[in-house]
């Protein structure tokens, strides 16, 4: 058996050094030095092969003991690493080969004690039976201090039920370091990583969270999709003292808070936020510093920067680039507070310093955001100084209330208008030069100076691939399928992720429900020539990360059973809680009327679709709602789909609504749902009783350039936020309603 004693010992030494760095909050560029000639004499190394051997070795561990997990799969491993190391001789738990020790099934890791070091583990293919995957405590009275978890991966280790809440990593205790880890693909409720302050022993904690790769966090469709949270409102006036430095947030788009900072005295330095929806939110707590970060929205929807609430917050020398978010998701958002705010509401912004930042083609800087009859306390004693602002268009500032409590000095602005009186702004008319990296240099001493952020490569681990930027349906093999009975299910057995089944002309009959747990495309040669029938209530059941693209096919519901709740595409929670995608192009759907309530797509409660895109397709003879996304009726702000888009399609003889979607409650954590319908034809939809579309709580409704004949109006219920509605260019036949949309505003009066 060969193991890499020297590297393990070196890690142990760097742990001790990391502890020193924690005390000083040194910048990320100060890489931990590694000694060339470590003294191994004090260490005792044990390779363990079984869970029992690991438990015995941990019980017997002394300072300097190194317990090495043998390569392979460790299933259902409820690992408790409780030991006492010393600063010079930590107790080490590591992988025989980093990345080749896989914890699967229902595994978890708890650390308790002093000076512990964990490295090289991978959690995947399962989920934690506890409230966390990695916890820096055994229980409420046994915490870990002065300990470190490094080079560890948690990939897709999500609860199969999206609503089942957990937190992948929970930091407790003091002086702990979480660095160079890779966390990606959390799809269930709860933050990816949380710093807990729920006992005296976890406050003033001096933790370091650095150089981690936070991979994509898909849209959660509710509150509870934060990537990082520090504290809770309950401990919001508590000093946390946590350093978050040099981390890469790659498409962390769970909800409106990428990071929810809910305690005081934290530092966010040198992190990169790439294409992440929402903001770094200084939600509670005072005296937090945000500097040298790089926010690159790449012009994607809802990408934002920093949202400021509470006292003594500093935002300086950050670079904000191509951010399109508005409102709570603006490039910079200074909130109004609530006078004498309760601890869980909005404290007034007092003594905020916004200094020396560059705003490069951002949509909006919001000032006094959230102003209403409750949030009336405007910002005071604050400064906005030396910033370089290049708006995306003529208007970049959006002022919601009195901002006389913010002093504007030494700012430079181009392409957009300064604030009303222009005081404190120098306007530049000439074009601005960019560096080789495409960044703007400071102008007249205004704007940010490098370094900003961190590169992807410097975060996470080298031995585990970071998320691909490619589209889910791209790549894969083409598999030819012949007509007949159950030829589709036979072909699916051999299909890998992103493969395409190519159907030859002819008739297809399926007697099984086809489980789709990965992205797959099914394509016909010509839609009229490929006819598909199915003998069960559903043809496709999406599980896990199931995604389906259907193109140039014809589906008939005529041979489905006469039961209840039939749908061509449905969801099943059995295979996990991943987000789904459905894309339908150039397809026919006819005779979905053998029973009541037959749909093309019916989303189960707890399921979530990132997108449902329909183009150039025909839907004829339906008994139910064609797209049914209305199972989340608990009014907690949860919903089934972020985007539903229909273009250039035809709906005729539909008993229910074309779309039924439900998003209840007044929560402000999400952006959707979005519904867009254009260039389509609707005839005899709703049969006199159902609305054309039932849109409860939809935030963006677009209905343009459609032809209508014998339909009812669209029903829109406003539940929260500022729902946007565009209805234009439609041709309404003789039997249509006078008003195409009926709006019922049920939002609480503010
Ligand atoms: Ca939240």
């Amino acid at each position: 058996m060969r193991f890499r004693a020297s590297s393990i010992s070196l890690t142990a030494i760097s742990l001790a050094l990391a502890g020193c760095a924690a005390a000083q909050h040194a910048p990320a560029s100060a890489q931990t030095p590694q000694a060339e000639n470590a003294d191994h004499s004090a260490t005792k190394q044990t390779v363990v092969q079984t869970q029992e051997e690991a438990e015995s070795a941990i019980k017997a561990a002394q300072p300097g003991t190194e317990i090495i997990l043998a390569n392979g799969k460790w299933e259902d491993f409820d690992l408790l690493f409780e030991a006492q190391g010393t600063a010079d001789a930590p107790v080490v738990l590591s992988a025989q080969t980093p990345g080749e020790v896989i914890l699967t099934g229902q595994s978890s890791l708890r650390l308790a004690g002093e000076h512990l070091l964990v490295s090289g583990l991978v959690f995947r293919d399962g989920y934690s039976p506890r409230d966390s995957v990695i916890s820096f405590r055994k229980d409420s009275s046994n915490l870990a201090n002065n300990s470190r978890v490094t080079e560890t991966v948690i990939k897709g280790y999500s609860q199969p039920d999206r609503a089942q809440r957990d937190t992948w990593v929970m930091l407790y205790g003091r002086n702990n370091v979480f660095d160079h880890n890779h966390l990606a693909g959390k799809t269930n409720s709860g933050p990816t990583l949380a710093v807990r302050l729920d006992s005296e022993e976890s406050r003033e904690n001096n933790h370091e969270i650095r150089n981690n790769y936070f991979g994509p966090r898909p849209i959660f469709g509710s509150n509870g999709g934060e990537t990082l949270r520090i504290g809770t409102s309950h401990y919001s006036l508590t000093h946390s003292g946590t350093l978050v430095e040099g981390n890469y947030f790659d498409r962390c788009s769970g909800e409106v808070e990428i990071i929810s900072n809910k305690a005081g005295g934290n530092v966010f330095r040198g992190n990169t936020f790439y294409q992440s929806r929402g903001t770094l939110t200084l939600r509670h707590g005072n005296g937090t510093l945000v500097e040298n970060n790089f926010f690159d929205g790449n012009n994607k929807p809802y990408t934002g920067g920093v949202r400021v609430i509470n006292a003594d917050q500093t935002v300086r020398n950050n670079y904000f680039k191509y951010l399109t978010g508005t409102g709570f998701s603006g490039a910079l958002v200074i909130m109004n507070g609530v006078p004498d705010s309760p601890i869980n509401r909005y404290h007034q912004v007092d003594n905020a310093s916004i200094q020396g930042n560059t705003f490069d083609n951002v949509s909006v800087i919001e000032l006094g955001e959230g102003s209403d009859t409750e949030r009336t306390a405007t910002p005071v004693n604050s400064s906005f100084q030396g910033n370089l602002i290049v708006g995306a268009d003529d208007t970049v500032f959006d002022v919601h209330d009195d901002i006389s409590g913010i002093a504007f000095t030494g700012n430079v602005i181009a392409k957009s208008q300064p604030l009303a009186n222009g005081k404190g702004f120098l306007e530049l008319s000439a074009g601005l030069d960019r560096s080789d990296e495409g960044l703007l240099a400071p102008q007249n001493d205004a704007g940010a100076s490098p370094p900003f952020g961190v590169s992807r490569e410097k975060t996470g681990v080298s031995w585990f691939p970071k998320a691909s930027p490619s589209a889910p349906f791209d790549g894969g093999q083409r598999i030819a399928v012949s007509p007949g009975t159950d030829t589709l299910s036979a072909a699916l057995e051999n299909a890998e992720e992103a493969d395409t089944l190519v159907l030859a002309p002819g008739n297809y009959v399926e007697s099984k429900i086809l489980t789709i747990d990965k992205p797959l495309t099914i394509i016909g040669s010509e839609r009229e020539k490929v006819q598909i029938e199915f003998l069960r209530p559903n043809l496709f059941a999406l599980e896990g990360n199931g995604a389906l693209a259907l193109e140039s096919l014809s589906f008939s519901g005529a041979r489905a059973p006469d039961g209840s709740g039939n749908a061509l595409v449905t969801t099943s929670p059995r295979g996990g809680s991943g987000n789904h995608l459905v894309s339908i192009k150039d397809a026919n759907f006819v005779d979905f009327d053998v029973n009541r309530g037959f749909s093309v797509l019916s989303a189960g409660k707890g399921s979530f679709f990132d997108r449902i895109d329909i183009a150039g397709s025909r839907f004829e003879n339906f008994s139910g709602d064609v797209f049914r996304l209305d199972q989340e009726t608990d009014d907690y702000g949860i919903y089934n789909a972020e985007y539903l888009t229909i273009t250039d399609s035809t709906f005729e003889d539909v008993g229910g609504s074309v779309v039924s979607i439900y998003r209840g409650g007044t929560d402000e954590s999400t952006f959707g749902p979005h519904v867009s319908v254009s260039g389509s034809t609707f005839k005899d939809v709703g049969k006199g009783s159902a609305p054309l579309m039932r849109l409860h709580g939809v935030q963006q409704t677009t209905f343009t350039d459609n032809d209508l004949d014998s339909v009812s109006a669209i029903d829109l219920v406003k539940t929260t936020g500022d729902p946007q509605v565009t209805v234009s260019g439609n041709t309404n036949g003789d039997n249509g309603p006078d008003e195409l949309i009926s709006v019922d505003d049920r939002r609480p009066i503010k």
Side-chain angles (χ1 to χ4, degrees), residues 42 52 67 347 423 473 640:
E52 292 71 27
I67 300 153
H347 284 256
K423 219 177 128 203
F473 295 117
N640 286 130

Side-chain angles (χ1 to χ4, degrees), residues 223 226 255 257:
N223 190 18
E226 305 87 356
E255 60 143 280
E257 297 174 303

Side-chain angles (χ1 to χ4, degrees), residues 563-584:
S564 65
N566 289 10
L568 181 82
V569 180
T570 187
T571 59
S572 157
R574 281 176 307 178
S577 59
N579 291 25
H580 303 304
L581 286 170
V582 166
S583 165
I584 295 174

